């Protein structure tokens, strides 16, 4: 069985990372780059054949076709047209990470496979699986892929494990903010130890994630007649921003006021006046040598500072006048430069300060819309086009040339009078060549400027952010072994395109720190706040309870045993608890106090991949899928133990034929 593994090249691996709205796919894992293909995760059902198609298809009449004499429709007069941009009748098989339409999802996988591959028998597949997929879902996918695509091997990769492969940390907490769901997965030493999720799209439609913010923004801008596409585009723009967490404010954020922002009319006026106008500098005068210099001076030897053409000066006989003229020109040039600098300084002082978006109460949103329209265009029937009759008056033909070459005029052009005897013949010839009229779909971009006030800040639903932070807290604190929690608190990563929202990650981290972080120096968490008439006994028994309490706090000789256990657990003192597999030098003094977090940090992102640094690591799951594909399919010359471990990372066709689709649960990277 081991010979079936490790025999494929990196260019042969097909990587598919399905999402609720967009699926990332690529053929080949030889380069660790962002996904080459982003395919909408939707299918359409054909009413006639009852099969799933990747694009919306509709019937239209062919150009020049007409009905039969008896009124019956002929099939030859109709044609099927694919509209790749239309979403009419679209079926989305994934909702909130769950597969709600298995038949449509399997048809979508077959469409992606046929779109990117040319062979069916030598292309192993790496398919990223959502944590919401059930065991029957995984078995149905394995059965369909092996029987339909004839693939030699299949690997199902958990999305959280994929993110870990892409971000390299062995212990981390992956917060996946998607379209309608949020997954929080805790991983300790490459093993999933806890998982919590938000978002149940069906049947109660309790969604979470990025769609919640879009719906909140749409409800706030309903009075301005915003559509869903407008709200989604505004949310993705830099104008929408989640302000930092402010515990003292009523809205838990510091909103801008009128005093801290310039008038909105000035901002809107400046934006609208400058938009669409391209400033073109006048061409600088060219010199005899082809050079161009500032202020129109040539870069020849005659105008260089301190260099004069002595021959011309001597032959002219006006040496003194020439030198006096040069001195005067230098003085005027220096004076004009000083005046120009003074005017620039005054204009800069008079110009209002440009405030950041978070300090502006009103800003301008530039909405761009793609409008599709069907335009009637003439279609030639194949007849030769008639030549226009040449005019005998030469002045008339030359007079029209400047009008065609010059700028377009605002006046309407009047139809010209046709000479007698030529108009009818030319008209009949033109009608015969363009008697058929067809329709052509054209797309144009329409831009609108809309003023948006504080709605671009208030859309950050506080209830949704609280649910995300509470889910993170419950996921980490539900880990059974307390020594595994600090590593998950210190390495929190955010993935998913829903986390691209400006300021969202920072606000979630600030909320976690403000509500759940306990400083290690706070020693009162180990002492009881209940009144007591006895001192705290020490571990040596030197201090015994007394009947009267003098009101003096315990000294260093009477240490609380909980505090002593927490601070000496990592020192290897007999009687203290050690974590399995850990050494005393690798843990801190508060490593085993797992009741409350004493450190909450966001894991640093890798910096050695320039393309991913530019793209953002919100799609780190795809990067991890590329790395995992190399490990599962492309590594050669391993020892026996490693080869066996590699064999269990994927399910090959030989094992599938022997054991069936249920073997996918043990021969995969699902993390369970």
């Amino acid at each position: 069985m081991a010979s079936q593994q490790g025999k494929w090249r990196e260019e042969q691996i097909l990587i598919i990372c399905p999402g609720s709205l967009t699926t990332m796919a690529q053929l080949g894992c030889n380069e660790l780059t962002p996904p080459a293909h982003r395919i909408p995760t939707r299918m359409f059902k054909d009413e006639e054949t009852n099969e799933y198609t990747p694009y919306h298809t509709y019937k239209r009449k062919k150009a020049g076709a007409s009905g039969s004499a008896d009124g019956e429709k002929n099939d030859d007069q109709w044609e099927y047209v694919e509209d790749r941009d239309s979403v009419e009748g679209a079926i989305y098989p994934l909702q909130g990470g769950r597969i709600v339409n298995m038949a449509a999802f399997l048809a979508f996988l077959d469409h992606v496979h046929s779109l990117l591959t040319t062979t069916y028998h030598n292309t192993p597949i790496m398919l990223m699986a959502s944590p919401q997929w059930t065991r029957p879902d995984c078995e149905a996918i394995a059965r369909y892929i092996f029987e339909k695509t004839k693939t030699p091997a299949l690997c199902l990769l958990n999305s959280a494990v994929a993110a870990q492969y892409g971000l390299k940390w062995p212990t981390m907490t992956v917060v996946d903010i998607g379209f309608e769901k949020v997954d929080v997965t805790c991983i300790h030493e490459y093993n999933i130890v806890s998982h919590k999720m938000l978002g149940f799209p069906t049947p109660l439609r309790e969604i979470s994630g990025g769609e919640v913010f879009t719906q909140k923004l749409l409800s706030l801008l309903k009075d301005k007649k915003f559509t869903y596409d407008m709200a989604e585009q505004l949310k993705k723009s830099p104008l929408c921003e989640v302000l930092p967490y402010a515990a003292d404010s009523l809205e838990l954020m510091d909103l801008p006021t009128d005093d801290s922002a310039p008038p909105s009319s000035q901002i809107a006026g400046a934006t609208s006046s400058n938009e669409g106008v391209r400033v073109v500098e006048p061409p600088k005068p060219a010199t005899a040598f082809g050079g161009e210099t500032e202020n129109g001076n040539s870069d020849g030897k005659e105008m260089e500072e301190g260099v004069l053409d002595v021959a011309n000066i001597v032959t002219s006989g006006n040496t003194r006048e020439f030198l006096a003229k040069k001195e005067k020109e230098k003085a005027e040039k220096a004076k004009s430069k000083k005046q120009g600098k003074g005017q620039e300084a005054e204009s800069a002082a008079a110009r209002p300060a440009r405030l950041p978006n978070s300090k502006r109460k009103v800003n301008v949103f530039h909405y761009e819309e793609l409008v599709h329209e069907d335009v009637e265009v003439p279609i030639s029937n194949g007849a030769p086009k008639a030549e226009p009759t040449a005019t005998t008056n030469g002045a008339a033909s030359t007079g029209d040339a400047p009008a065609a070459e010059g700028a377009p005029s605002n006046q309407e052009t009047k139809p010209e009078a046709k000479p007698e005897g030529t108009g009818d013949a030319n008209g009949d010839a033109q009608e015969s060549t363009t008697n058929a009229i067809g329709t052509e779909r054209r797309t144009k971009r329409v831009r609108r400027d809309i003023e948006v006030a504080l709605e671009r800040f208030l859309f950050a639903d506080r209830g949704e952010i609280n649910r995300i932070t509470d889910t993170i807290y419950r996921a980490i604190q539900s880990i059974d072994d307390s020594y595994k929690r600090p590593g998950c608190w210190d390495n929190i990563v955010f993935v998913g395109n829903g986390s691209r929202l400006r300021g969202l990650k920072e606000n979630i981290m600030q909320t976690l720190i403000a509500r759940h972080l306990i400083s290690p120096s706070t020693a009162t968490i180990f002492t009881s706040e209940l009144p007591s008439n006895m001192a705290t006994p020490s571990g040596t028994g030197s201090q015994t309870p007394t009947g009267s309490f003098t009101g003096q706090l315990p000294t260093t000789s009477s240490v609380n045993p909980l505090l002593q256990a927490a601070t000496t657990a990592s020192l290897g003192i007999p009687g203290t608890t050690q974590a399995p597999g850990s050494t005393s030098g690798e843990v801190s003094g508060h490593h085993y106090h797992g009741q409350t977090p004493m450190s909450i940090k966001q894991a640093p992102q890798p910096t050695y991949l320039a393309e991913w640094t530019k793209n953002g690591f919100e799609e780190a799951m795809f990067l991890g899928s590329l790395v995992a594909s190399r490990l599962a399919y492309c590594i050669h010359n391993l020892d026996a133990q490693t080869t066996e471990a590699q064999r269990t990372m994927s399910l090959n066709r030989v094992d599938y034929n022997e054991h069936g689709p249920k073997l996918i649960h043990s021969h995969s990277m699902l993390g369970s």
Side-chain angles (χ1 to χ4, degrees), residues 274-294:
N274 296 333
E275 194 63 38
V277 180
R278 184 178 180 181
V279 181
V280 181
E281 296 182 357
K284 298 178 181 179
T287 65
F289 301 98
E292 294 178 357
T293 58
E294 192 176 358

Side-chain angles (χ1 to χ4, degrees), residues 595-668:
Q595 300 301 320
T596 51
M598 294 185 180
S599 175
I600 301 178
K601 300 177 184 178
Q602 191 173 350
Q605 296 178 348
T607 57
Y608 48 83
L609 297 174
E611 294 189 14
W612 280 98
T613 303
K614 181 180 179 180
N615 179 77
F617 284 90
E618 287 80 9
E619 296 174 342
M621 302 88 65
F622 187 81
L623 175 60
S625 300
L626 297 176
V627 177
S629 300
R630 292 182 177 183
L631 297 177
Y633 295 127
C634 304
I635 296 182
H636 307 272
N637 302 326
L638 301 175
D639 55 11
Q641 184 178 3
T642 310
T643 302
E644 182 64 21
Q646 185 190 43
R647 191 181 70 86
T648 59
M649 293 175 66
S650 61
L651 178 62
N652 56 49
R653 179 164 293 278
V654 176
D655 292 338
Y656 174 80
N657 293 335
E658 292 181 0
H659 303 281
K662 291 186 177 181
L663 197 63
I664 192 65
H665 303 298
S666 58
H667 286 61
S668 63

Side-chain angles (χ1 to χ4, degrees), residues 20 94-98 100 130 132 179-181 183 198-201:
S20 299
L94 294 179
Q95 293 183 9
R98 295 170 175 82
V100 296
S130 176
Q132 286 84 3
F179 176 59
E180 292 179 340
K181 54 95 177 180
D183 287 320
L198 286 175
F200 297 90

